[in-house]
Amino acid sequence: MSTIYDICTMNQEKVNKIRAFNRFYTRVIGLLNKYLNDSHYTLPEVRVMYEIYHHKQITSREITELLSMDKSYLSRMLLSFDKKGLIKRKTDKTDTRAQDISLSAKGEKEFLAINRSTENQIAELLSGLNNQEVEQLIVHMDGIQKILSKISN
Amino acid sequence: MSTIYDICTMNQEKVNKIRAFNRFYTRVIGLLNKYLNDSHYTLPEVRVMYEIYHHKQITSREITELLSMDKSYLSRMLLSFDKKGLIKRKTDKTDTRAQDISLSAKGEKEFLAINRSTENQIAELLSGLNNQEVEQLIVHMDGIQKILSKISN
DNA sequence: ATTTTTAGTTGACTTTGTCAACTATTTACG
DNA sequence: CGTAAATAGTTGACAAAGTCAACTAAAAAT
């Protein structure tokens, strides 16, 4: 918990630089997500698929926690995945209220295709940079994650 | 323009690290924007106010370009700002189709209040870090902006 | 002078996301 | 044990965010 004193003595310029970065990176992320317009899936759908894929077995509740997503929103999304045959759901053995969700063969195929095109898009973006710049970029990104992980619970 | 060759030889791990950072930072930005729920304004509204404030005089078209925002969406937003007395609009002297938009005294007051609370929120976030960490964070952020500015048109 | 482009508005719509109420379990606890 | 409280997921109703196309009026291009 910070005090008024902390906030007031905090260098204004530093805060402004961080805000500038946030604005800048919001645009970067926006650009990178633009490609999704051409895919059959929306950004939140892809995020959900990502979680299912990387957990192999996951419950609704876990997804809502991981993505800070409303459970009703997710419930409807999973229904649409189900209709499209992208997921399998089976009742959890130790808690019959919960379902273990996993990607079907079709779902996995779809996800991996999206995944590849995201990767290609980033690779394409990076192709405008030389090797050293890419290395530096990653160093900076790791650095930010390391520092901010301390505070983001 | 990148070639297939570039993409295929691009280190997969680097691409994955960048994607991981994007996911991470999407969450950070999401957390920072959460506070807006308590404000009277939405995120896109604040962004528009930001642009009006920092240009003193700006047209609708310029805002749509700066924020990649649909002109109909913006038009309605400006209408609501107008109704709330947050902006002044006057016909541009050299192009009577266009309007020069600026914040009213009330609008400026509102924007500055939002601005302060965003600043405080970031300052509060940073209060969990020591001086050196904050310095490092800014170095990394500047680094990323410098590198990515080369390519993001 | 007329066609084409542009600035902004409006109508109709879709997507995205939220909130509260509900059912069916499970867990906590006297 | 048995009842109360908490939890997993669904559903209805809605609000917020964003898009698309058609339109008016003015400006720019030809």
CSV table of all heavy atoms in Angstrom, one decimal, chain C residues 3-23:
chain,number,residue,atom,x,y,z
C,3,DT,P,-21.0,15.2,-64.5
C,3,DT,OP1,-21.3,14.6,-65.8
C,3,DT,OP2,-22.1,15.5,-63.5
C,3,DT,O5',-19.9,14.3,-63.8
C,3,DT,C5',-18.7,14.1,-64.4
C,3,DT,C4',-17.6,13.9,-63.4
C,3,DT,O4',-17.4,15.1,-62.6
C,3,DT,C3',-17.8,12.8,-62.4
C,3,DT,O3',-16.7,11.9,-62.6
C,3,DT,C2',-17.8,13.5,-61.1
C,3,DT,C1',-17.0,14.7,-61.3
C,3,DT,N1,-17.2,15.9,-60.4
C,3,DT,C2,-16.1,16.3,-59.7
C,3,DT,O2,-15.0,15.8,-59.8
C,3,DT,N3,-16.3,17.4,-58.9
C,3,DT,C4,-17.6,18.1,-58.8
C,3,DT,O4,-17.7,19.0,-58.0
C,3,DT,C5,-18.6,17.5,-59.5
C,3,DT,C7,-20.0,18.1,-59.4
C,3,DT,C6,-18.4,16.4,-60.3
C,4,DT,P,-16.7,10.5,-61.8
C,4,DT,OP1,-15.9,9.5,-62.6
C,4,DT,OP2,-18.0,10.2,-61.3
C,4,DT,O5',-15.8,10.9,-60.5
C,4,DT,C5',-14.5,11.4,-60.7
C,4,DT,C4',-13.8,11.8,-59.4
C,4,DT,O4',-14.4,13.0,-58.9
C,4,DT,C3',-14.0,10.7,-58.3
C,4,DT,O3',-12.7,10.5,-57.8
C,4,DT,C2',-14.9,11.3,-57.3
C,4,DT,C1',-14.6,12.8,-57.5
C,4,DT,N1,-15.7,13.8,-57.1
C,4,DT,C2,-15.4,14.9,-56.3
C,4,DT,O2,-14.2,15.1,-55.9
C,4,DT,N3,-16.4,15.7,-56.0
C,4,DT,C4,-17.7,15.6,-56.4
C,4,DT,O4,-18.6,16.4,-56.1
C,4,DT,C5,-18.0,14.4,-57.2
C,4,DT,C7,-19.4,14.2,-57.6
C,4,DT,C6,-17.0,13.6,-57.5
C,5,DT,P,-12.4,9.4,-56.7
C,5,DT,OP1,-11.1,8.7,-57.0
C,5,DT,OP2,-13.7,8.6,-56.6
C,5,DT,O5',-12.2,10.3,-55.4
C,5,DT,C5',-11.3,11.3,-55.5
C,5,DT,C4',-11.4,12.2,-54.2
C,5,DT,O4',-12.7,12.9,-54.3
C,5,DT,C3',-11.4,11.4,-52.9
C,5,DT,O3',-10.3,11.9,-52.2
C,5,DT,C2',-12.8,11.7,-52.3
C,5,DT,C1',-13.2,13.0,-52.9
C,5,DT,N1,-14.6,13.4,-53.0
C,5,DT,C2,-15.1,14.6,-52.5
C,5,DT,O2,-14.3,15.4,-51.9
C,5,DT,N3,-16.4,14.8,-52.6
C,5,DT,C4,-17.3,14.0,-53.2
C,5,DT,O4,-18.5,14.3,-53.3
C,5,DT,C5,-16.8,12.8,-53.8
C,5,DT,C7,-17.7,11.8,-54.5
C,5,DT,C6,-15.5,12.5,-53.7
C,6,DT,P,-9.9,11.4,-50.7
C,6,DT,OP1,-8.5,11.6,-50.5
C,6,DT,OP2,-10.5,10.0,-50.6
C,6,DT,O5',-10.8,12.4,-49.8
C,6,DT,C5',-10.5,13.7,-49.8
C,6,DT,C4',-11.4,14.4,-48.8
C,6,DT,O4',-12.7,14.4,-49.3
C,6,DT,C3',-11.5,13.7,-47.4
C,6,DT,O3',-11.2,14.7,-46.4
C,6,DT,C2',-12.9,13.2,-47.3
C,6,DT,C1',-13.6,14.2,-48.2
C,6,DT,N1,-14.9,13.8,-48.8
C,6,DT,C2,-16.0,14.6,-48.7
C,6,DT,O2,-16.0,15.7,-48.2
C,6,DT,N3,-17.1,14.1,-49.3
C,6,DT,C4,-17.3,12.9,-49.9
C,6,DT,O4,-18.4,12.6,-50.4
C,6,DT,C5,-16.1,12.1,-50.0
C,6,DT,C7,-16.2,10.7,-50.6
C,6,DT,C6,-15.0,12.5,-49.4
C,7,DA,P,-11.2,14.4,-44.9
C,7,DA,OP1,-10.0,15.1,-44.3
C,7,DA,OP2,-11.4,12.9,-44.7
C,7,DA,O5',-12.5,15.1,-44.4
C,7,DA,C5',-12.6,16.5,-44.3
C,7,DA,C4',-13.7,16.9,-43.3
C,7,DA,O4',-15.0,16.5,-44.0
C,7,DA,C3',-13.8,16.1,-42.0
C,7,DA,O3',-14.1,17.0,-41.0
C,7,DA,C2',-14.8,15.0,-42.2
C,7,DA,C1',-15.7,15.6,-43.3
C,7,DA,N9,-16.2,14.6,-44.2
C,7,DA,C8,-15.5,13.6,-44.8
C,7,DA,N7,-16.2,12.9,-45.7
C,7,DA,C5,-17.5,13.5,-45.6
C,7,DA,C6,-18.7,13.2,-46.3
C,7,DA,N6,-18.8,12.2,-47.2
C,7,DA,N1,-19.8,13.9,-46.0
C,7,DA,C2,-19.7,14.9,-45.1
C,7,DA,N3,-18.6,15.3,-44.4
C,7,DA,C4,-17.5,14.5,-44.7
C,8,DG,P,-14.1,16.5,-39.5
C,8,DG,OP1,-14.0,17.6,-38.6
C,8,DG,OP2,-13.2,15.3,-39.3
C,8,DG,O5',-15.6,16.0,-39.3
C,8,DG,C5',-16.7,17.0,-39.5
C,8,DG,C4',-18.0,16.3,-39.6
C,8,DG,O4',-18.0,15.4,-40.7
C,8,DG,C3',-18.4,15.4,-38.4
C,8,DG,O3',-19.5,16.0,-37.8
C,8,DG,C2',-18.8,14.1,-39.1
C,8,DG,C1',-19.0,14.4,-40.5
C,8,DG,N9,-18.7,13.3,-41.4
C,8,DG,C8,-17.6,12.6,-41.7
C,8,DG,N7,-17.7,11.7,-42.6
C,8,DG,C5,-19.0,11.8,-43.0
C,8,DG,C6,-19.8,11.0,-43.9
C,8,DG,O6,-19.4,10.1,-44.6
C,8,DG,N1,-21.1,11.5,-44.0
C,8,DG,C2,-21.6,12.5,-43.3
C,8,DG,N2,-22.9,12.8,-43.5
C,8,DG,N3,-21.0,13.2,-42.4
C,8,DG,C4,-19.7,12.8,-42.3
C,9,DT,P,-20.3,15.3,-36.6
C,9,DT,OP1,-20.8,16.4,-35.7
C,9,DT,OP2,-19.4,14.2,-36.0
C,9,DT,O5',-21.5,14.6,-37.3
C,9,DT,C5',-22.4,15.5,-38.1
C,9,DT,C4',-23.6,14.7,-38.6
C,9,DT,O4',-23.1,13.7,-39.5
C,9,DT,C3',-24.3,13.9,-37.5
C,9,DT,O3',-25.7,14.2,-37.6
C,9,DT,C2',-24.0,12.4,-37.8
C,9,DT,C1',-23.8,12.4,-39.3
C,9,DT,N1,-22.9,11.4,-39.8
C,9,DT,C2,-23.4,10.6,-40.8
C,9,DT,O2,-24.5,10.7,-41.3
C,9,DT,N3,-22.5,9.7,-41.3
C,9,DT,C4,-21.1,9.5,-40.9
C,9,DT,O4,-20.4,8.7,-41.4
C,9,DT,C5,-20.7,10.4,-39.9
C,9,DT,C7,-19.3,10.3,-39.4
C,9,DT,C6,-21.6,11.3,-39.4
C,10,DT,P,-26.7,13.7,-36.5
C,10,DT,OP1,-27.8,14.7,-36.5
C,10,DT,OP2,-26.0,13.4,-35.2
C,10,DT,O5',-27.3,12.3,-37.1
C,10,DT,C5',-28.0,12.4,-38.4
C,10,DT,C4',-28.3,10.9,-38.8
C,10,DT,O4',-27.1,10.3,-39.2
C,10,DT,C3',-28.9,10.0,-37.7
C,10,DT,O3',-30.2,9.7,-38.2
C,10,DT,C2',-28.0,8.8,-37.6
C,10,DT,C1',-27.2,8.9,-39.0
C,10,DT,N1,-25.8,8.4,-39.0
C,10,DT,C2,-25.5,7.5,-40.0
C,10,DT,O2,-26.3,7.1,-40.8
C,10,DT,N3,-24.2,7.0,-39.9
C,10,DT,C4,-23.2,7.4,-39.0
C,10,DT,O4,-22.1,6.9,-39.1
C,10,DT,C5,-23.7,8.3,-38.0
C,10,DT,C7,-22.7,8.8,-36.9
C,10,DT,C6,-24.9,8.8,-38.0
C,11,DG,P,-31.1,8.8,-37.2
C,11,DG,OP1,-32.5,9.3,-37.5
C,11,DG,OP2,-30.6,8.7,-35.9
C,11,DG,O5',-31.0,7.3,-37.9
C,11,DG,C5',-31.2,7.2,-39.3
C,11,DG,C4',-31.1,5.7,-39.7
C,11,DG,O4',-29.7,5.3,-39.9
C,11,DG,C3',-31.7,4.8,-38.7
C,11,DG,O3',-32.4,3.8,-39.4
C,11,DG,C2',-30.5,4.2,-38.0
C,11,DG,C1',-29.4,4.2,-39.0
C,11,DG,N9,-28.1,4.4,-38.5
C,11,DG,C8,-27.7,5.2,-37.5
C,11,DG,N7,-26.4,5.2,-37.3
C,11,DG,C5,-25.9,4.3,-38.2
C,11,DG,C6,-24.6,3.8,-38.5
C,11,DG,O6,-23.5,4.1,-37.9
C,11,DG,N1,-24.6,2.9,-39.5
C,11,DG,C2,-25.6,2.5,-40.2
C,11,DG,N2,-25.4,1.6,-41.2
C,11,DG,N3,-26.9,2.9,-40.0
C,11,DG,C4,-26.9,3.8,-39.0
C,12,DA,P,-33.2,2.6,-38.7
C,12,DA,OP1,-34.4,2.3,-39.5
C,12,DA,OP2,-33.3,2.9,-37.2
C,12,DA,O5',-32.2,1.4,-38.9
C,12,DA,C5',-31.6,1.1,-40.2
C,12,DA,C4',-30.7,-0.1,-40.0
C,12,DA,O4',-29.4,0.4,-39.5
C,12,DA,C3',-31.2,-1.1,-39.0
C,12,DA,O3',-31.0,-2.4,-39.5
C,12,DA,C2',-30.3,-0.9,-37.8
C,12,DA,C1',-29.0,-0.4,-38.4
C,12,DA,N9,-28.1,0.4,-37.6
C,12,DA,C8,-28.5,1.3,-36.6
C,12,DA,N7,-27.4,1.8,-35.9
C,12,DA,C5,-26.3,1.2,-36.5
C,12,DA,C6,-25.0,1.3,-36.3
C,12,DA,N6,-24.4,2.1,-35.4
C,12,DA,N1,-24.1,0.6,-37.1
C,12,DA,C2,-24.7,-0.2,-38.0
C,12,DA,N3,-25.9,-0.4,-38.3
C,12,DA,C4,-26.7,0.3,-37.5
C,13,DC,P,-31.5,-3.7,-38.7
C,13,DC,OP1,-32.0,-4.6,-39.7
C,13,DC,OP2,-32.3,-3.3,-37.5
C,13,DC,O5',-30.1,-4.3,-38.2
C,13,DC,C5',-29.0,-4.5,-39.2
C,13,DC,C4',-27.7,-4.7,-38.5
C,13,DC,O4',-27.4,-3.5,-37.8
C,13,DC,C3',-27.7,-5.8,-37.4
C,13,DC,O3',-27.2,-7.0,-38.0
C,13,DC,C2',-26.7,-5.2,-36.3
C,13,DC,C1',-26.4,-3.8,-36.9
C,13,DC,N1,-26.3,-2.8,-35.8
C,13,DC,C2,-25.0,-2.4,-35.4
C,13,DC,O2,-24.0,-2.9,-35.9
C,13,DC,N3,-24.9,-1.5,-34.4
C,13,DC,C4,-26.0,-1.0,-33.8
C,13,DC,N4,-25.9,0.0,-32.9
C,13,DC,C5,-27.3,-1.4,-34.2
C,13,DC,C6,-27.4,-2.3,-35.2
C,14,DT,P,-27.1,-8.3,-37.0
C,14,DT,OP1,-27.3,-9.4,-37.9
C,14,DT,OP2,-27.9,-8.1,-35.8
C,14,DT,O5',-25.6,-8.3,-36.6
C,14,DT,C5',-24.6,-7.9,-37.5
C,14,DT,C4',-23.2,-8.0,-36.8
C,14,DT,O4',-23.1,-6.8,-36.0
C,14,DT,C3',-23.0,-9.2,-35.9
C,14,DT,O3',-21.8,-9.7,-36.2
C,14,DT,C2',-23.2,-8.6,-34.5
C,14,DT,C1',-22.7,-7.2,-34.7
C,14,DT,N1,-23.4,-6.2,-33.8
C,14,DT,C2,-22.6,-5.3,-33.0
C,14,DT,O2,-21.4,-5.3,-33.1
C,14,DT,N3,-23.3,-4.4,-32.3
C,14,DT,C4,-24.6,-4.3,-32.1
C,14,DT,O4,-25.1,-3.4,-31.4
C,14,DT,C5,-25.4,-5.2,-32.9
C,14,DT,C7,-26.9,-5.2,-32.8
C,14,DT,C6,-24.8,-6.1,-33.7
C,15,DT,P,-21.2,-11.0,-35.4
C,15,DT,OP1,-20.3,-11.7,-36.3
C,15,DT,OP2,-22.3,-11.7,-34.7
C,15,DT,O5',-20.3,-10.3,-34.3
C,15,DT,C5',-19.4,-9.3,-34.7
C,15,DT,C4',-18.7,-8.7,-33.4
C,15,DT,O4',-19.6,-7.9,-32.7
C,15,DT,C3',-18.2,-9.8,-32.4
C,15,DT,O3',-16.9,-9.4,-32.2
C,15,DT,C2',-19.1,-9.6,-31.3
C,15,DT,C1',-19.5,-8.2,-31.3
C,15,DT,N1,-20.8,-7.7,-30.7
C,15,DT,C2,-20.7,-6.6,-29.9
C,15,DT,O2,-19.7,-6.1,-29.5
C,15,DT,N3,-22.0,-6.2,-29.4
C,15,DT,C4,-23.2,-6.8,-29.7
C,15,DT,O4,-24.2,-6.3,-29.2
C,15,DT,C5,-23.2,-7.9,-30.6
C,15,DT,C7,-24.5,-8.5,-31.0
C,15,DT,C6,-22.0,-8.3,-31.1
C,16,DT,P,-15.9,-10.2,-31.2
C,16,DT,OP1,-14.5,-9.9,-31.6
C,16,DT,OP2,-16.4,-11.6,-31.2
C,16,DT,O5',-16.1,-9.5,-29.8
C,16,DT,C5',-15.8,-8.2,-29.7
C,16,DT,C4',-16.2,-7.7,-28.3
C,16,DT,O4',-17.6,-7.6,-28.1
C,16,DT,C3',-15.7,-8.7,-27.2
C,16,DT,O3',-14.8,-7.9,-26.3
C,16,DT,C2',-17.0,-9.1,-26.5
C,16,DT,C1',-17.9,-7.9,-26.8
C,16,DT,N1,-19.4,-8.2,-26.9
C,16,DT,C2,-20.2,-7.3,-26.2
C,16,DT,O2,-19.8,-6.4,-25.5
C,16,DT,N3,-21.6,-7.6,-26.3
C,16,DT,C4,-22.1,-8.7,-27.0
C,16,DT,O4,-23.4,-8.9,-27.0
C,16,DT,C5,-21.2,-9.5,-27.7
C,16,DT,C7,-21.7,-10.7,-28.5
C,16,DT,C6,-19.9,-9.3,-27.6
C,17,DG,P,-14.1,-8.6,-25.1
C,17,DG,OP1,-12.9,-7.9,-24.8
C,17,DG,OP2,-14.1,-10.1,-25.3
C,17,DG,O5',-15.2,-8.3,-23.9
C,17,DG,C5',-15.5,-7.0,-23.6
C,17,DG,C4',-16.6,-6.9,-22.6
C,17,DG,O4',-17.8,-7.4,-23.3
C,17,DG,C3',-16.4,-7.8,-21.4
C,17,DG,O3',-16.3,-6.9,-20.3
C,17,DG,C2',-17.7,-8.7,-21.3
C,17,DG,C1',-18.6,-7.9,-22.2
C,17,DG,N9,-19.7,-8.7,-22.8
C,17,DG,C8,-19.6,-9.8,-23.7
C,17,DG,N7,-20.8,-10.2,-24.1
C,17,DG,C5,-21.7,-9.4,-23.4
C,17,DG,C6,-23.1,-9.4,-23.4
C,17,DG,O6,-23.9,-10.2,-24.0
C,17,DG,N1,-23.6,-8.4,-22.6
C,17,DG,C2,-22.9,-7.5,-21.9
C,17,DG,N2,-23.6,-6.6,-21.1
C,17,DG,N3,-21.6,-7.5,-21.9
C,17,DG,C4,-21.1,-8.5,-22.6
C,18,DT,P,-16.2,-7.4,-18.8
C,18,DT,OP1,-15.3,-6.4,-18.1
C,18,DT,OP2,-15.9,-8.8,-18.8
C,18,DT,O5',-17.7,-7.2,-18.3
C,18,DT,C5',-18.3,-5.9,-18.4
C,18,DT,C4',-19.7,-5.9,-17.8
C,18,DT,O4',-20.6,-6.7,-18.6
C,18,DT,C3',-19.7,-6.5,-16.4
C,18,DT,O3',-20.3,-5.6,-15.5
C,18,DT,C2',-20.5,-7.8,-16.5
C,18,DT,C1',-21.4,-7.5,-17.7
C,18,DT,N1,-21.9,-8.6,-18.5
C,18,DT,C2,-23.3,-8.7,-18.7
C,18,DT,O2,-24.1,-8.0,-18.2
C,18,DT,N3,-23.6,-9.8,-19.5
C,18,DT,C4,-22.8,-10.7,-20.1
C,18,DT,O4,-23.3,-11.6,-20.8
C,18,DT,C5,-21.4,-10.5,-19.8
C,18,DT,C7,-20.4,-11.5,-20.5
C,18,DT,C6,-21.0,-9.5,-19.1
C,19,DC,P,-20.2,-5.7,-14.0
C,19,DC,OP1,-20.0,-4.3,-13.5
C,19,DC,OP2,-19.2,-6.8,-13.6
C,19,DC,O5',-21.7,-6.2,-13.5
C,19,DC,C5',-22.8,-5.5,-14.1
C,19,DC,C4',-24.1,-6.3,-13.7
C,19,DC,O4',-24.4,-7.3,-14.7
C,19,DC,C3',-24.0,-7.0,-12.3
C,19,DC,O3',-25.0,-6.6,-11.5
C,19,DC,C2',-24.0,-8.4,-12.7
C,19,DC,C1',-24.8,-8.4,-14.0
C,19,DC,N1,-24.5,-9.5,-14.9
C,19,DC,C2,-25.5,-10.1,-15.7
C,19,DC,O2,-26.6,-9.7,-15.6
C,19,DC,N3,-25.2,-11.2,-16.5
C,19,DC,C4,-24.0,-11.6,-16.6
C,19,DC,N4,-23.7,-12.6,-17.5
C,19,DC,C5,-22.9,-11.0,-15.9
C,19,DC,C6,-23.2,-10.0,-15.1
C,20,DA,P,-25.2,-7.0,-10.0
C,20,DA,OP1,-25.3,-5.8,-9.2
C,20,DA,OP2,-24.1,-8.0,-9.7
C,20,DA,O5',-26.6,-7.7,-10.0
C,20,DA,C5',-27.5,-7.5,-11.0
C,20,DA,C4',-28.5,-8.6,-11.1
C,20,DA,O4',-28.1,-9.6,-12.1
C,20,DA,C3',-28.7,-9.4,-9.8
C,20,DA,O3',-30.0,-9.8,-9.7
C,20,DA,C2',-27.8,-10.6,-10.0
C,20,DA,C1',-28.0,-10.9,-11.5
C,20,DA,N9,-27.0,-11.6,-12.2
C,20,DA,C8,-25.6,-11.6,-12.0
C,20,DA,N7,-24.9,-12.4,-12.7
C,20,DA,C5,-25.9,-13.0,-13.5
C,20,DA,C6,-25.8,-14.0,-14.5
C,20,DA,N6,-24.6,-14.5,-14.9
C,20,DA,N1,-26.9,-14.4,-15.1
C,20,DA,C2,-28.1,-13.9,-14.7
C,20,DA,N3,-28.3,-12.9,-13.7
C,20,DA,C4,-27.1,-12.6,-13.2
C,21,DA,P,-30.6,-10.5,-8.4
C,21,DA,OP1,-31.7,-9.6,-7.9
C,21,DA,OP2,-29.5,-10.8,-7.5
C,21,DA,O5',-31.3,-11.8,-9.0
C,21,DA,C5',-32.1,-11.7,-10.2
C,21,DA,C4',-32.3,-13.1,-10.7
C,21,DA,O4',-31.1,-13.6,-11.4
C,21,DA,C3',-32.6,-14.1,-9.7
C,21,DA,O3',-33.7,-15.0,-10.2
C,21,DA,C2',-31.3,-14.9,-9.5
C,21,DA,C1',-30.8,-14.9,-10.9
C,21,DA,N9,-29.3,-15.1,-11.0
C,21,DA,C8,-28.3,-14.5,-10.2
C,21,DA,N7,-27.1,-14.9,-10.6
C,21,DA,C5,-27.3,-15.8,-11.6
C,21,DA,C6,-26.5,-16.6,-12.4
C,21,DA,N6,-25.1,-16.5,-12.3
C,21,DA,N1,-27.0,-17.3,-13.4
C,21,DA,C2,-28.3,-17.3,-13.5
C,21,DA,N3,-29.3,-16.7,-12.9
C,21,DA,C4,-28.7,-15.9,-11.9
C,22,DC,P,-34.4,-16.0,-9.2
C,22,DC,OP1,-35.8,-16.0,-9.6
C,22,DC,OP2,-34.0,-15.7,-7.8
C,22,DC,O5',-33.7,-17.4,-9.7
C,22,DC,C5',-34.0,-17.9,-11.0
C,22,DC,C4',-33.1,-19.1,-11.3
C,22,DC,O4',-31.8,-18.6,-11.3
C,22,DC,C3',-33.1,-20.2,-10.2
C,22,DC,O3',-33.9,-21.3,-10.7
C,22,DC,C2',-31.7,-20.6,-10.0
C,22,DC,C1',-30.9,-19.7,-11.1
C,22,DC,N1,-29.6,-19.3,-10.6
C,22,DC,C2,-28.5,-19.8,-11.2
C,22,DC,O2,-28.6,-20.6,-12.2
C,22,DC,N3,-27.2,-19.5,-10.8
C,22,DC,C4,-27.1,-18.6,-9.8
C,22,DC,N4,-25.9,-18.3,-9.4
C,22,DC,C5,-28.3,-18.0,-9.1
C,22,DC,C6,-29.5,-18.4,-9.5
C,23,DT,P,-34.1,-22.5,-9.7
C,23,DT,OP1,-35.4,-23.1,-10.0
C,23,DT,OP2,-33.7,-22.2,-8.3
C,23,DT,O5',-32.9,-23.5,-10.2
C,23,DT,C5',-32.9,-23.9,-11.6
C,23,DT,C4',-31.8,-25.0,-11.8
C,23,DT,O4',-30.5,-24.3,-11.6
C,23,DT,C3',-31.9,-26.1,-10.8
C,23,DT,O3',-31.7,-27.3,-11.5
C,23,DT,C2',-30.8,-25.8,-9.8
C,23,DT,C1',-29.8,-25.1,-10.6
C,23,DT,N1,-28.9,-24.1,-9.9
C,23,DT,C2,-27.6,-24.1,-10.2
C,23,DT,O2,-27.0,-24.9,-10.9
C,23,DT,N3,-26.8,-23.2,-9.5
C,23,DT,C4,-27.3,-22.3,-8.6
C,23,DT,O4,-26.5,-21.5,-8.0
C,23,DT,C5,-28.7,-22.3,-8.3
C,23,DT,C7,-29.3,-21.4,-7.4
C,23,DT,C6,-29.5,-23.2,-9.0
